[in-house]
Amino acid sequence: MSTLTRPPEVAANSPARRTSPRRAGTRGAYKGVLFTLPFLVGFLFTYVLPIAYAFNQSLREKKSSGIGFGPTKVVYTGFSNFATILSDGAFWSSMLRTLLFGAAQITVMLGISLLLALLLDGVAARAVRFFRAGLLIPYVVPSVVSTLMWLFLYSPTASPILDLADRAGVHLSLFGGLNTYLSLGNLLTWQGIGFNMILISASLQALPRELYEAARIDGAREWRIAWSIKVPNITGILVLTGMFSLIGRLQLFAEPLLLRYVAPESISTDFTPMMEIFDKAFKTGNYQYAAAESLVLAVVTGILAFVFYRVTNRKMS
């Protein structure tokens, strides 16, 4: 009598050869860790360790021996730097100044970006690609380069705009008082319109076109469709761009620093929190106090961004 043999494919699937679900899950977890390892290493060395080092420095101060003319050394003083920051009027004034300026400038910038996105949403696809590329160019240009360009246009001695105004008998001043904020706001708005418009336009493209057709059948005009259908359905991206813009304004540094070369009497060294930190670290040499200010700014920025996101999401939901 012949012996029955098990087919090879059945033998391969026998319990002895079958991989347990737990082992397969563990193997998949290891592969996931290996894929994310480069990001984790970069995150550790570019974010975690610098923050830990800044916190370590913020707990120290420079002290001079004797009556102040001896050698200085860095000593541990605990949270004294943070206690000093709480009563630092210059730091909190720069914070409040930046927030008030950002509230006005971000509103104008996002309003223009939304208007452009709504206009492009009704244009032919080929024309949309052309206008999108043109409006995105200011964002692609590095901020330092674009600031230098506007610095030339704002210069009292080299600006062609001011020269034409003088020839027409109109004497313009682009700095001093409110004009300083208008000049800086114009620069930042020019830089940010294209990027925010792209995000808003992408959200509009994702909306179902059947909504528009149904509204047109009901007799709604284009402006009514934009206000009652398009805008309410893209509140999420408006909140997101607003939050990112708020974070960017609290970190404002390069633009006012370069404009200060034209108008040092209008833009002080503590005009923004980042300029105040830069001045303390690289001009005064108080790196420990600057590290403490950086951490306070990061915490305040995170809290304000979280509150802004929750409040605006609740109102628009």
Side-chain angles (χ1 to χ4, degrees):
M1 182 182 294
S2 61
T3 304
L4 296 177
T5 59
R6 181 176 296 176
E9 63 273 14
V10 176
N13 292 326
S14 63
R17 300 291 300 273
R18 191 180 303 157
T19 303
S20 64
R22 180 178 298 179
R23 181 178 299 177
T26 303
R27 185 179 300 173
Y30 286 148
K31 290 180 179 179
V33 171
L34 290 176
F35 273 113
T36 58
L37 187 60
F39 166 78
L40 294 176
V41 172
F43 183 78
L44 175 66
F45 282 97
T46 59
Y47 284 94
V48 178
L49 291 182
I51 291 175
Y53 178 75
F55 180 73
N56 177 64
Q57 289 294 308
S58 68
L59 302 178
R60 306 174 185 277
E61 287 185 30
K62 283 184 178 180
K63 296 290 186 179
S64 300
S65 59
I67 59 175
F69 296 100
T72 60
K73 60 180 181 179
V74 178
V75 297
Y76 177 83
T77 56
F79 293 92
S80 60
N81 283 325
F82 295 97
T84 305
I85 290 174
L86 293 178
S87 59
D88 190 343
F91 179 75
W92 294 109
S93 295
S94 66
M95 186 86 71
L96 179 61
R97 182 187 304 113
T98 306
L99 285 174
L100 294 177
F101 165 73
Q105 187 270 325
I106 291 172
T107 302
V108 173
M109 179 182 65
L110 292 184
I112 298 175
S113 299
L114 175 61
L115 178 61
L116 291 174
L118 291 172
L119 292 174
L120 290 179
D121 193 51
V123 181
R126 184 175 300 179
V128 168
R129 288 194 293 269
F130 173 77
F131 283 109
R132 280 180 182 173
L135 291 171
L136 193 61
I137 289 176
Y139 176 76
V140 177
V141 176
S143 60
V144 174
V145 176
S146 60
T147 304
L148 290 174
M149 182 187 71
W150 282 98
L151 189 67
F152 169 75
L153 295 176
Y154 290 159
S155 174
T157 57
S159 172
I161 299 175
L162 296 180
D163 182 61
L164 291 174
D166 288 338
R167 294 183 180 183
V170 180
H171 299 286
L172 297 177
S173 177
L174 299 178
F175 293 99
L178 181 61
N179 292 336
T180 301
Y181 298 95
L182 293 176
S183 299
L184 181 59
N186 173 69
L187 166 60
L188 296 173
T189 302
W190 181 82
Q191 289 177 343
I193 282 178
F195 176 72
N196 293 289
M197 182 270 300
I198 290 293
L199 296 179
I200 298 172
S201 180
S203 296
L204 289 173
Q205 292 294 320
L207 296 180
R209 299 291 162 176
E210 293 80 6
L211 295 175
Y212 309 155
E213 295 174 1
R216 292 189 182 99
I217 293 174
D218 291 338
R221 296 179 178 272
E222 292 301 323
W223 67 268
R224 187 65 179 177
I225 294 174
W227 182 254
S228 300
I229 298 179
K230 294 183 179 181
V231 174
N233 282 282
I234 59 170
T235 53
I237 194 63
L238 293 177
V239 171
L240 188 64
T241 52
M243 184 180 67
F244 286 160
S245 299
L246 175 64
I247 295 173
R249 292 303 160 265
L250 287 173
Q251 298 175 352
L252 189 61
F253 174 68
E255 291 83 358
L257 181 67
L258 292 175
L259 292 179
R260 176 173 160 76
Y261 287 97
V262 174
E265 69 284 351
S266 301
I267 301 178
S268 59
T269 56
D270 57 356
F271 188 79
T272 66
M274 288 297 295
M275 291 180 66
E276 160 75 8
I277 295 170
F278 176 81
D279 186 72
K280 284 288 189 299
F282 298 103
K283 293 185 179 180
T284 308
N286 195 347
Y287 298 101
Q288 293 72 30
Y289 190 77
E293 286 184 323
S294 300
L295 293 175
V296 171
L297 176 61
V299 172
V300 171
T301 301
I303 293 174
L304 290 177
F306 176 77
V307 171
F308 174 83
Y309 182 79
R310 292 298 298 270
V311 170
T312 51
N313 247 353
R314 186 176 303 171
K315 288 182 178 181
M316 294 182 176
S317 59

